[in-house]
Amino acid sequence: MNKLFENRVQEIKYRVLREVAIQTWKGNDVFAEFNEVASKVILDNEPPDRCCIYKDRAIVAERMRLAIGGSKSKKSVVQVIPIACDECPEAGYVVTDLCRGCLAHNCIASCKRDAITIDNNHHAHIDKTKCVECGKCASSCQYSAIHNFKRPCERACKVGAISMAPGGEASIDDEKCISCGACVYHCPFGATVDVSSIVDVIKLIKEHEEDPEKPPVIAIVAPSIASQFLYANLGQVITGIRKLGFKRVLEVALGADMVAHKESLELVEKGFLTSSCCPAFVKYIETAFPTMVDKISHNLSPMAELARFVKESNPEYKIVFIGPCIAKKAEVRKPEVNQYVDYAITFEELQALFDSKNIVLGELEETEWNQASYYGRIFARAGGLTEAVKQALKEQGITDFELKPIACDGIDQCKSALLRASKGVLPNNFIEGMACVGGCVGGSGNMIKYEEAPKQMKARIETATETEILSNIKKQINII
């Protein structure tokens, strides 16, 4: 079997989710069973990760709170566990041991805030109360002795939403945060964690199992699932989702087909468009480029588009999105989306659900799962939406419109394109924006970034029996 997770932080997170799920399936109060949960997460015979096993288990308690939904007073889906965030070194510009105590003192001359002094050992020292992190001292030092140290979470956050709180722990600015989850993935102490709806999802499933008159629960699954669970065949994974209690399992890639069709028409109508498929990208435009908000496609994301189609025929259904994206947890809170999608969980959480029910995927029969076209499935990787829009224009016979797209993956690329567009110097008329590098296959809710994932995704994409978007939509409308 392939390893499930890349590091111990993810392993601990998974253990908490699994044990919380086990207690929820049993109908127990999670915190009433804290000792049992904690003993399964932090084993007695393992050396503690921090100063002692008691602190490790205190952090488990905080993880449990996030596993059942987190603080209701905080609107961000990514929250900080303060007691877990106490190991990172001082951030910002720091004088290292490379300082030679030179006579030039270029660092002092370059600092307009008088933040640098020379100590008794002739080494430079930066007064953090005066320093404004301009970096001029670092660029002036001929020995490169001054380095800009950033915390892993701060370095991972490309939108400047993370700073240091007075107590030294990380602090997230909810207004700037785009819920991409980069800080969650990169924090080596697991102090930044995404809140979970795993308990709510289990309760929905149990309600229907105990009373069939209660609404059935439908799973809609992102196409990037082909890059995960590589220890089993995809058809077995779909069977496993059904065994959890989901009545049906649908491909969000079908929603991608629907979006490609609508987005191509909107692009022709407006002449310029930015994509709306990635909620983190949309939030980034809203916070960093407010003058570009009117350029965002009015179409829902593939997740919401498919859910809307399902609920139009079956309004009583409860719909749960399963994918690689932490930002989807924020998207489902939006009124225009929440009416269609009830909860969103990640592939990390799905693995915890499988194991909480002792479902061994490799032992299951395969379920046929073929609802989307080739173009719907390629949405999982960067550039896929662009190819799909191009195909949709072709299928609709639109020949008098020249598509000039730019596909951006990662916030740095998105920022560059949006900056040029906001100044009117971008030669392109369609911006495909993905917050995660590589697209959805690089999502922070994935269990692991498998090196062979592109190969697995390619194999999955090529199993699509439909190679045209419109014909697939028409066929699936009569089936789903």
Side-chain angles (χ1 to χ4, degrees):
M1 176 186 291
N2 300 72
K3 66 176 183 176
L4 292 180
F5 304 102
E6 289 187 346
N7 54 56
R8 182 167 170 78
V9 169
Q10 289 176 295
E11 174 70 23
I12 294 296
K13 179 182 179 182
Y14 152 78
R15 288 187 191 179
V16 172
L17 290 167
R18 180 192 62 199
E19 297 305 320
V20 165
I22 288 172
Q23 297 303 327
T24 306
W25 287 118
K26 292 179 178 178
N28 296 336
D29 178 274
V30 172
F31 281 100
E33 305 298 332
F34 170 74
N35 289 333
E36 181 178 347
V37 173
S39 65
K40 294 288 182 62
V41 176
I42 305 297
L43 305 180
D44 292 330
N45 59 353
E46 288 185 352
D49 291 318
R50 292 174 173 81
C51 61
C52 62
I53 195 172
Y54 305 107
K55 183 169 184 178
D56 283 346
R57 289 183 174 173
I59 293 172
V60 167
E62 295 304 312
R63 288 183 174 279
M64 290 169 63
R65 293 185 211 283
L66 292 170
I68 63 173
S71 172
K72 303 303 181 185
S73 64
K74 297 179 180 179
K75 59 183 180 179
S76 176
V77 299
V78 178
Q79 299 179 14
V80 176
I81 301 176
I83 60 171
C85 183
D86 60 359
E87 304 289 347
C88 290
E90 182 180 33
Y93 286 92
V94 176
V95 180
T96 70
D97 291 339
L98 292 175
C99 179
R100 308 305 298 165
C102 67
L103 297 179
H105 294 167
N106 291 328
C107 56
I108 293 179
S110 68
C111 182
K112 306 302 182 183
R113 300 278 178 166
D114 296 324
I116 301 180
T117 56
I118 304 299
D119 62 22
N120 293 333
N121 294 319
H122 306 292
H123 282 197
H125 174 75
I126 299 176
D127 184 344
K128 285 296 183 179
T129 64
K130 296 180 179 179
C131 178
V132 294
E133 307 291 340
C134 68
K136 290 182 178 179
C137 59
S139 59
S140 70
C141 179
Q142 293 169 303
Y143 285 100
S144 301
I146 301 177
H147 185 73
N148 185 18
F149 287 97
K150 286 188 176 182
R151 293 180 170 197
C153 58
E154 185 181 0
R155 187 168 58 248
C157 180
K158 302 299 184 181
V159 297
I162 296 182
S163 60
M164 187 186 298
E169 72 277 8
S171 176
I172 299 176
D173 185 334
D174 291 343
E175 297 303 317
K176 291 183 179 179
C177 179
I178 61 175
S179 305
C180 66
C183 61
V184 176
Y185 181 79
H186 285 94
C187 176
F189 289 94
T192 47
V193 184
D194 52 307
V195 299
S196 177
S197 299
I198 196 170
V199 169
D200 298 301
V201 171
I202 292 173
K203 288 179 177 178
L204 282 181
I205 293 172
K206 286 183 64 180
E207 286 176 3
H208 179 69
E209 289 178 341
E210 294 166 2
D211 181 3
E213 295 299 316
K214 295 285 186 178
V217 188
I218 310 299
I220 58 173
V221 184
S224 54
I225 193 172
S227 70
Q228 303 291 296
F229 307 99
L230 300 188
Y231 59 87
N233 294 326
L234 183 56
Q236 293 174 311
V237 180
I238 304 307
T239 302
I241 297 173
R242 290 289 301 269
K243 285 183 71 68
L244 285 171
F246 290 97
K247 181 177 179 180
R248 302 179 70 187
V249 185
L250 305 178
E251 281 196 74
V252 168
L254 172 58
D257 282 332
M258 298 173 177
V259 168
H261 170 61
K262 292 184 176 181
E263 203 137 292
S264 63
L265 294 175
E266 185 180 8
L267 174 59
V268 172
E269 177 187 350
K270 296 181 177 179
F272 181 92
L273 212 60
T274 71
S275 63
S276 58
C277 296
C278 173
F281 174 64
V282 170
K283 178 68 182 295
Y284 180 59
I285 296 176
E286 293 171 345
T287 56
F289 294 91
T291 59
M292 294 287 293
V293 169
D294 64 326
K295 306 300 182 183
I296 301 172
S297 169
H298 288 174
N299 286 296
L300 296 173
S301 67
M303 171 193 75
E305 187 65 33
L306 176 61
R308 176 168 65 179
F309 174 74
V310 172
K311 283 211 172 185
E312 283 176 351
S313 302
N314 304 277
E316 76 283 5
Y317 280 3
K318 296 294 183 180
I319 296 182
V320 176
F321 169 81
I322 303 174
C325 183
I326 289 175
K328 287 294 183 186
K329 297 182 178 185
E331 183 184 357
V332 299
R333 294 182 178 184
K334 292 184 174 181
E336 63 269 27
V337 177
N338 185 252
Q339 59 184 311
Y340 305 121
V341 186
D342 296 278
Y343 298 106
I345 63 174
T346 63
F347 293 138
E348 285 181 322
E349 292 163 310
L350 179 59
Q351 181 65 58
L353 283 174
F354 285 148
D355 292 341
S356 72
K357 294 282 281 185
N358 295 315
I359 295 173
V360 182
L361 298 180
E363 298 177 357
L364 303 178
E365 294 182 358
E366 293 193 47
T367 295
E368 184 180 353
W369 201 53
N370 203 357
Q371 302 151 359
S373 78
Y374 165 89
Y375 291 97
R377 288 181 182 170
I378 62 176
F379 267 58
R381 58 172 171 77
L385 168 59
T386 294
E387 290 184 47
V389 168
K390 181 179 180 181
Q391 174 67 16
L393 290 171
K394 177 182 177 181
E395 290 182 19
Q396 294 168 92
I398 299 175
T399 58
D400 57 348
F401 179 84
E402 182 183 2
L403 174 64
K404 295 181 287 185
I406 179 171
C408 308
D409 61 312
I411 289 300
D412 287 339
Q413 286 190 12
C414 294
K415 179 180 180 180
S416 176
L418 289 168
L419 187 61
R420 285 180 288 160
S422 66
K423 294 182 177 181
V425 294
L426 184 74
N428 311 91
N429 57 13
F430 180 64
I431 302 176
E432 174 194 320
M434 296 283 191
C436 295
V437 176
C440 300
V441 292
S444 297
N446 284 329
M447 297 185 295
I448 194 168
K449 297 185 186 302
Y450 289 105
E451 292 181 0
E452 60 263 43
K455 179 178 68 176
Q456 298 289 336
M457 278 302 308
K458 185 174 185 292
R460 171 60 181 165
I461 289 168
E462 290 177 350
T463 63
T465 57
E466 283 289 343
T467 57
E468 292 190 351
I469 295 170
L470 290 176
S471 63
N472 186 64
I473 293 173
K474 291 174 182 178
K475 181 175 74 174
Q476 294 300 329
I477 282 177
N478 298 322
I479 298 175
I480 294 179

